[in-house]
Amino acid sequence: MKMRKNRLAAMSLAVCMAAAMALAGCGKTDGEVKEEEEDQNLPTITFTHGYYHDESEWPAAAEMRAIYEEFAEAHKDEFNFVIKADEGGAEGIYNTALNDLSSGEFYDIADFGGWNIVPVASESDAILDLKPYLDEDADFKDGVGVCYDQNLVDGKIYSVREQIEGVGFWYNSALFEQAGAQTPDQWQTWADFDTAVDKLVEAGIMPFGLNAGWPTNILLAGYSQRNEQSRAFYESGATVESFDDASFRESLAFMQDNVLQKIDSANFGPGGDDDEQYRTDFFDGKTAMLFNGVWDAGGAVDCAAGIENIKPATFPTDEPGKRAALLSGGTGFVVSNKLDEQQTEACIEFIKYMTSPEIASRIIEKGIGMAPGTAIDYDELLNKVETDDAKLLVEACRMCQKADVQALGLGNTFGDAEGEIQGKYAGLMDGSKTPEDVIKELDDFLAASE
């Protein structure tokens, strides 16, 4: 069975923003440990990250730098922790690593922010297997959460993250009430989704906006968690040899009949990074559901729909009462395996710090994103945060973390085939393609990729 090269791991809100801002070129590196401040008698480790942005551009970047600096200060008598911001962002860090690997070099430790350096770096025998350190420390393992299983390849774990992409969806409770439809928090199975969508349409309310990309991928991935058979096929995505599978055919039929043909062309955009109309329509109160991640709690601030009406939800399954969410870790911290023992211990100490309940809670509290840790006290966080959007983020993260089924996003699962899948949505919507047509075309893609 041939494994195709995986696409970039799905990125959290922080990574997406970093990539978008990288072109601005107005980074700040204030607060870094400078060479003249180093104690030459102590081990030195250089940590490279992509949070270069000025606080006025992106407050989360300044908060992340502060977290790093606090670690450096706390350990200044043990080792020199040099913090280096790359103004190329995570993509720049990735490209530099590719170039350096060709000459046998690698960062001491770097945050790749979702850019998957692991295959080429591990093949070059350049990076450290973190699994032994995780296995000997239960708190450390709890701190990395889903990253442990998701990043386990051939018995090794080369990377974990302090943030993950948590995805369910959002809904406008006022529009559901107006339509007399059962709200998503009450749904027991996907049949309840269908009933609610029909009631919304009957009431003249657009159930959701979609496009040939991200939001539709989310819904397809969410529906694919409905039962054991559909989950088994979905999980095989990276190595699937044929899309001719009954559960996948059912998923495509659902997308065509129960989703795409429930909206008109005005509510189906072309996709791509600039197509944000599906978000705009939801926060303007024109659609009832938004398929996007936990970070979009911030979109509810001062929105026309009213922040009091915006609620988070996770996906139903066909196992009554069970819920599903998409939690994608991907590539984050990667450590060189050429460091000495003291340097390696310092890197491990840093990753433990970044995945600790204290830092995880801070990442959520400050609105940076969702942390993977399973020991986070969400009740305490809800009592601590003050703004409505912060409370929405905490609640959305808690829902994703408590979901009975937790799966990777579509891109993480199907790699290069993700683009081929989303290229079929328009045909399913206008009826020019059937699920069988799509399956044949996807199998042709697989054959051409061999």
Side-chain angles (χ1 to χ4, degrees):
M1 183 178 292
K2 181 177 179 181
M3 180 177 290
R4 298 183 307 282
K5 182 178 179 182
N6 199 10
R7 270 180 33 125
L8 303 177
M11 294 180 285
S12 67
L13 173 66
V15 176
C16 292
M17 292 182 68
M21 292 180 179
L23 298 176
C26 42
K28 300 290 183 181
T29 58
D30 51 314
E32 293 180 5
V33 177
K34 308 300 182 184
E35 284 191 18
E36 59 268 22
E37 299 171 355
E38 295 175 18
D39 185 335
Q40 300 302 315
N41 296 316
L42 296 176
T44 296
I45 309 96
T46 299
F47 166 60
T48 306
H49 65 90
Y51 291 100
Y52 64 86
H53 316 81
D54 187 270
E55 184 173 6
S56 62
E57 289 181 277
W58 190 21
E63 183 67 26
M64 292 301 293
R65 291 197 302 272
I67 290 171
Y68 302 152
E69 290 156 10
E70 289 166 21
F71 175 82
E73 177 65 22
H75 294 275
K76 65 182 180 181
D77 295 331
E78 304 164 56
F79 46 78
N80 300 309
F81 192 75
V82 181
I83 305 164
K84 180 180 179 182
D86 188 323
E87 294 193 8
E91 183 177 6
I93 293 170
Y94 174 81
N95 289 331
T96 297
L98 287 179
N99 291 331
D100 287 352
L101 282 167
S102 64
S103 58
E105 298 178 0
F106 196 76
Y107 297 102
D108 290 350
I109 176 173
D111 178 7
F112 284 83
W115 289 76
N116 192 10
I117 195 66
V118 166
V120 63
S122 59
E123 186 175 340
S124 300
D125 190 27
I127 55 178
L128 184 70
D129 176 14
L130 303 176
K131 187 174 184 295
Y133 303 94
L134 290 160
D135 289 344
E136 69 182 14
D137 188 332
D139 291 338
F140 189 17
K141 186 175 179 179
D142 288 344
V144 306
V146 296
C147 293
Y148 184 95
D149 289 327
Q150 288 182 358
N151 292 0
L152 181 63
V153 178
D154 297 329
K156 296 184 178 182
I157 300 173
Y158 290 108
S159 180
V160 295
R161 297 188 73 180
E162 89 288 1
Q163 295 177 52
I164 57 173
E165 188 176 76
V167 178
F169 65 101
W170 300 89
Y171 67 96
N172 184 328
S173 60
L175 294 183
F176 276 82
E177 182 178 351
Q178 181 181 328
Q182 189 180 55
T183 51
D185 59 316
Q186 303 175 68
W187 294 348
Q188 292 296 302
T189 68
W190 279 98
D192 295 324
F193 168 91
D194 294 336
T195 300
V197 167
D198 286 342
K199 286 194 173 184
L200 288 163
V201 172
E202 289 168 7
I205 297 170
M206 192 59 57
F208 31 70
L210 297 171
N211 65 32
W214 174 255
T216 316
N217 287 349
I218 290 173
L219 187 50
L220 175 60
Y223 185 69
S224 296
Q225 312 313 314
R226 64 191 178 277
N227 58 43
E228 289 184 5
Q229 291 74 28
S230 61
R231 290 194 290 270
F233 176 78
Y234 186 87
E235 290 170 4
S236 73
T239 56
V240 66
E241 295 183 328
S242 173
F243 283 91
D244 191 7
D245 173 86
S247 69
F248 186 68
R249 184 177 289 102
E250 182 183 341
S251 295
L252 293 175
F254 167 82
M255 294 300 294
Q256 181 171 49
D257 300 334
N258 301 43
V259 175
L260 293 167
Q261 294 186 3
K262 298 291 184 179
I263 59 176
D264 57 40
S265 58
N267 291 91
F268 186 78
D273 293 340
D274 296 330
D275 185 4
E276 292 284 302
Q277 193 61 44
Y278 68 99
R279 293 183 64 254
T280 301
D281 286 347
F282 176 75
F283 289 117
D284 282 350
K286 297 177 181 178
T287 58
M289 285 177 274
L290 168 66
F291 301 107
N292 210 6
V294 299
W295 55 83
D296 232 348
V301 177
D302 297 327
C303 72
I307 194 170
E308 69 278 5
N309 298 318
I310 306 302
K311 312 292 181 186
T314 48
F315 298 103
T317 67
D318 284 341
E319 299 159 310
K322 286 190 175 182
R323 311 295 292 193
L326 307 177
L327 299 181
S328 303
T331 304
F333 301 119
V334 181
V335 180
S336 169
N337 64 2
K338 303 300 187 292
L339 304 178
D340 64 30
E341 184 176 351
Q342 288 180 301
Q343 291 173 310
T344 299
E345 288 177 359
C347 291
I348 297 300
E349 188 67 25
F350 174 65
I351 301 175
K352 287 182 178 181
Y353 163 80
M354 291 302 300
T355 56
S356 67
E358 293 76 20
I359 298 301
S361 297
R362 186 169 166 182
I363 285 170
I364 299 171
E365 178 189 349
K366 298 296 184 179
I368 298 171
M370 180 176 177
T374 58
I376 299 167
D377 189 333
Y378 286 101
D379 289 332
E380 180 181 348
L381 270 176
L382 273 176
N383 290 329
K384 190 174 183 180
V385 299
E386 298 179 355
T387 63
D388 289 338
D389 58 310
K391 292 182 184 297
L392 280 176
L393 175 62
V394 172
E395 191 55 46
C397 291
R398 172 159 60 181
M399 284 185 176
C400 287
Q401 190 63 260
K402 288 190 172 183
D404 303 284
V405 177
Q406 298 176 341
L408 285 164
L410 195 77
N412 298 76
T413 302
F414 287 98
D416 291 338
E418 177 201 24
E420 295 297 316
I421 293 170
Q422 66 189 37
K424 313 304 178 188
Y425 295 144
L428 289 171
M429 182 180 181
D430 65 20
S432 63
K433 294 184 188 297
T434 66
E436 288 73 20
D437 294 332
V438 171
I439 287 171
K440 182 182 183 304
E441 291 174 8
L442 291 174
D443 277 354
D444 288 344
F445 165 76
L446 291 181
S449 301
E450 292 295 329

